[in-house]
Amino acid sequence: MSAKAATPKKQSILNVALVGQPNVGKTTLFNALCGLRAQTSNIPGTTVDARFGRHGDMRVMDLPGFWSLHLDQPEAALARQHLTSEHDAPDVVVLVLDAADIRRGLHVATEVLPSGVPTVVALTMTDVARRRGLDIDPDRLADWLGCPVVPVSSHKRIGIHSLTEAIRAAAPCEASMPALEDEAATNAWVDGVVRASVPSMDDPRRDRFSDRLDMAFTHPVLGVVFFLAIMLGVFWSIFALASVPMDLIELIFGHVGGWISSILPPGPVQELIVDGVVGGLAGTIVFLPQIVLLFFLISILEDTGYLARAAFVMDRILRVFGLPGQAFVPMLSAHACAIPAIMSTRLVPDRRDRLAIILVAPFLSCAARLPVYVLLIGFLFAHSPVAAALSFAGAYALGLIAALLSAMLARRTVLKGPAQPMVISLPPWQFPSLWSACLTCWDRGFLFLRKAGTVILAMVIVLWWLSAYPKAPEPSHIETADTAQIEMENPMAYSFAGRIGRAVQPAFEPLGWDWQLSVGVMTSFAAREVFVSTMAVLVAGSDDTDDDAVITRIHEARTDDGQPMLTPASASSLLVFFILAMQCLPTLAITAREAGGWKWAVLQFGWMSALAWIAAWIVYQCVSMSGVA
């Protein structure tokens, strides 16, 4: 690594780089400094992108965690690139060390400190270290390293001001470090530093409670049981705890629609705003509480350190189906969105492993499917939160099973080859930060609302126009037998949307869907959550003028012949279709780019669509024959 100047640049902006190994609290420190909400899973290789933020006069760069700068890994390569850049090299390096595992972190220090870049050490996890009987002396450690050592607690914002002052006053390190080209010399120096700065290191107390937790949550059988139970609890919370804010949102939109109707004269403008914009957005935004609650709970689980244990448990399962251990990272992130999940497969070194993950990642239920799940499961199990939670967990499980079985099929046909096990470092158990979880909810909720205010709003307006025009002719103008049939049907069947739905409905008729559901499925290829807005627009544009909530109106909608649009059979088949189908055109584009050609995107679309149609047909037939009312 090339050396920098002897002192930080005298400039208005100070470039600061946060470096360290995975799971040392680096990203949490970055959030505490910059007030941002960056999220990094406690799994090596989650990200290969540097994050940037501002802290006063500092431009802070959060580099991905790496085990060694000399390894041939994307994380290490990116860190080397930024640290040695001639144009964007940092003025100060903040080396983040885990006090509970100081020996391992000191090996990274031997690579960073000799660079000559002014360095400050941020010592994290000091509370965990004390529980293990390790009481580190920051002054002695600073003497050995030749740079300031500042204990910090990012969650509690303890030590942040002291760290900021140390960064501004940082100077090149003067470590008493011998030549460390040899590994044995390196280990001897690390041992000396540990003995001098951690007097209790010779007889540390084990955290027996944490050990017992690890034994339980990483057990081959109990670990899976705990994972399923925790996920079931998460899904139960989504239904049981979010009902009140959902009702409040419905009430607000109902009053807004009524108020607009009272101030605008009847006509196309009123219909567009009330039935199209307000009704369509209400059908989507009403699911905001479930989305926010889901990400809040996942953030809590991530912060405690549990998700890393879940990754360890799932690694054993993934390898059975021909997927590498690294697949857990994109498969976990796919539950938020398949697009970043597919992009994160760049970290997987083997091309066949990478292609297998790309092909199956969209099977995992993303956040965009959540409104559809809530709508349909709420119809099927309206009065049983427990059954709804089980069905919700089953939806996620079905997507996971389809992904695993599809991966097994791919690895035995077009992508033959063995999978590699994953090496993972388990972070310490800790109390979660409610503040961090709330900030994560704010970010996710804002992104959802921004999408609702742009993409979904545009789709709603287009769909309203398609469903409103042309108007059905008056009875006196009806002359032919064909148009006479329309008089007895939903007038929207005469619209452009109705005609499109009728054109594609034969392909979905075996699944129990009418033309309205067929239109909803077709429009959802732009974005999955658009399905709910589509159904809200279609229902709001009908002759039904009651003031029931949007979801209730969709549940109670009728077909042209007066039969319920949603039945247990049709809702079940629709739910299964949405779980398994490729309903996102942007994801297909990302697949083509990351996999290296459209042939892989076509294969992905064809396989997922065929599997979804067949599975939905089987479910429809089974539920119909069961006689469930």
Side-chain angles (χ1 to χ4, degrees):
M1 216 183 300
S2 61
K4 291 286 302 263
T7 57
K9 296 177 183 177
K10 301 298 183 181
Q11 57 185 28
S12 57
I13 299 298
L14 194 65
N15 291 320
V16 180
L18 303 183
V19 301
Q21 293 180 323
N23 307 330
V24 296
K26 184 167 50 59
T27 299
T28 307
L29 177 60
F30 174 77
N31 291 341
L33 286 170
C34 302
L36 300 179
R37 275 81 72 182
Q39 290 287 306
T40 303
S41 297
N42 283 322
I43 304 165
T46 299
T47 177
V48 289
D49 294 324
R51 296 180 175 87
F52 295 89
R54 292 293 297 270
H55 177 65
D57 59 348
M58 302 178 186
R59 179 175 179 263
V60 183
M61 174 172 57
D62 178 23
L63 292 174
F66 55 87
W67 295 111
S68 171
L69 282 173
H70 305 306
L71 292 178
D72 185 19
Q73 293 180 343
E75 303 96 319
L78 184 66
R80 290 196 303 268
Q81 174 186 340
H82 282 282
L83 292 176
T84 60
S85 171
E86 295 182 0
H87 305 290
D88 198 32
D91 302 308
V92 179
V93 169
V94 175
L95 175 60
V96 184
L97 299 183
D98 179 1
D101 196 359
I102 190 68
R103 186 186 299 275
R104 187 180 64 183
L106 287 174
H107 284 272
V108 173
T110 64
E111 300 173 351
V112 174
L113 296 179
S115 67
V117 181
T119 303
V120 176
V121 170
L123 198 62
T124 63
M125 312 288 186
T126 53
D127 53 341
V128 178
R130 291 192 186 96
R131 289 201 302 267
R132 297 180 179 179
L134 307 176
D135 192 8
I136 298 177
D137 188 329
D139 295 330
R140 291 188 180 182
L141 183 59
D143 291 339
W144 275 83
L145 300 181
C147 63
V149 175
V150 182
V152 296
S153 176
S154 303
H155 287 309
K156 301 177 182 178
R157 298 192 61 82
I158 297 175
I160 300 299
H161 177 72
S162 299
L163 179 64
T164 301
E165 295 301 315
I167 292 173
R168 292 196 174 99
C173 297
E174 300 177 356
S176 55
M177 188 180 300
L180 301 176
E181 294 84 1
D182 181 78
E183 182 177 355
T186 301
N187 290 332
W189 181 84
V190 169
D191 289 339
V193 175
V194 171
R195 284 194 300 269
S197 57
V198 193
S200 58
M201 191 67 183
D202 293 334
D203 186 25
R205 296 190 302 269
R206 295 291 300 173
D207 192 337
R208 298 186 183 278
F209 181 68
S210 295
D211 290 342
R212 289 194 294 268
L213 287 179
D214 284 340
M215 291 177 63
F217 284 102
T218 61
H219 190 273
V221 177
L222 284 179
V224 176
V225 173
F226 281 124
F227 177 78
L228 295 177
I230 290 173
M231 291 299 104
L232 180 60
V234 169
F235 298 139
W236 176 86
S237 301
I238 291 174
F239 279 92
L241 302 182
S243 59
V244 173
M246 285 183 67
D247 293 340
L248 179 61
I249 291 175
E250 290 179 346
L251 181 64
I252 292 173
F253 272 96
H255 283 300
V256 170
W259 175 73
I260 294 176
S261 297
S262 66
I263 64 174
L264 290 180
V269 175
Q270 185 201 71
E271 293 176 1
L272 168 63
I273 297 178
V274 176
D275 297 334
V277 175
V278 176
L281 289 180
T284 298
I285 296 177
V286 71
F287 299 106
L288 180 63
Q290 283 95 344
I291 293 174
V292 169
L293 183 58
L294 174 64
F295 283 105
F296 176 82
L297 296 174
I298 289 179
S299 178
I300 291 294
L301 293 175
E302 168 70 22
D303 225 10
T304 61
Y306 169 72
L307 287 188
R309 275 78 183 175
F312 182 80
V313 172
M314 293 302 296
D315 175 54
R316 302 188 185 106
I317 300 175
L318 291 176
R319 282 187 280 122
V320 173
F321 294 92
L323 289 173
Q326 297 96 326
F328 181 81
V329 174
M331 292 180 76
L332 180 65
S333 60
H335 286 89
C337 180
I339 291 177
I342 291 174
M343 295 176 65
S344 69
T345 60
R346 298 172 185 174
L347 292 166
V348 181
D350 185 79
R351 174 172 170 76
R352 290 173 300 181
D353 287 345
R354 185 164 61 252
L355 286 174
I357 302 170
I358 290 174
L359 290 177
V360 304
F363 276 116
L364 282 304
S365 293
C366 64
R369 289 182 171 110
L370 189 60
V372 183
Y373 291 178
V374 174
L375 174 70
L376 297 176
I377 293 174
F379 169 79
L380 293 169
F381 306 102
H383 305 294
S384 177
V386 175
L390 288 171
S391 181
F392 212 92
Y396 278 74
L398 178 59
L400 176 61
I401 292 171
L404 295 178
L405 294 179
S406 297
M408 176 183 288
L409 178 63
R411 294 314 298 266
R412 295 183 178 182
T413 54
V414 296
L415 298 171
K416 292 182 179 180
Q420 301 298 319
M422 179 177 66
V423 178
I424 184 172
S425 174
L426 297 180
W429 290 98
Q430 60 184 2
F431 287 104
S433 170
L434 295 180
W435 175 247
S436 178
C438 290
L439 291 178
T440 299
C441 293
W442 173 266
D443 282 347
R444 295 295 183 177
F446 177 76
L447 289 175
F448 179 78
L449 290 177
R450 186 173 66 180
K451 190 173 184 180
T454 54
V455 177
I456 296 178
L457 178 60
M459 290 292 298
V460 161
I461 294 174
V462 172
L463 289 169
W464 174 85
W465 184 84
L466 290 174
S467 63
Y469 296 96
K471 297 289 186 180
E474 297 294 334
S476 59
H477 299 159
I478 296 176
E479 299 177 357
T480 67
D482 292 337
T483 55
Q485 178 67 21
I486 295 175
E487 181 185 14
M488 304 302 296
E489 299 173 348
N490 182 341
M492 288 191 60
Y494 192 81
S495 67
F496 292 122
R499 298 176 185 183
I500 294 173
R502 288 180 177 277
V504 301
Q505 196 262 343
F508 299 117
E509 185 175 6
L511 310 183
W513 309 346
D514 75 334
W515 67 268
Q516 297 174 95
L517 293 177
S518 300
V519 171
V521 170
M522 295 301 294
T523 58
S524 67
F525 280 96
R528 294 177 177 95
E529 60 268 48
V530 170
F531 172 82
V532 181
S533 296
T534 301
M535 301 314 302
V537 170
L538 293 177
V539 171
S542 69
D543 287 337
D544 183 9
T545 58
D546 61 25
D547 294 326
D548 291 343
V550 174
I551 296 179
T552 303
R553 295 176 68 181
I554 296 175
H555 287 171
E556 297 178 351
R558 298 281 171 170
T559 62
D560 292 340
D561 58 2
Q563 298 299 315
M565 181 185 70
L566 286 178
T567 65
S570 63
S572 298
S573 70
L574 188 60
L575 177 62
V576 170
F577 186 88
F578 264 95
I579 294 171
L580 301 177
M582 168 54 72
Q583 295 288 109
C584 183
L585 292 179
T587 300
L588 283 174
I590 293 297
T591 294
R593 188 184 73 182
E594 296 295 321
W598 276 98
K599 65 178 182 180
W600 296 107
V602 172
L603 174 63
Q604 183 185 62
F605 176 79
W607 170 249
M608 294 185 67
S609 299
L611 183 63
W613 195 97
I614 294 172
W617 179 81
I618 293 174
V619 168
Y620 177 73
Q621 297 298 327
C622 292
V623 177
S624 297
M625 289 186 294
S626 68
V628 177

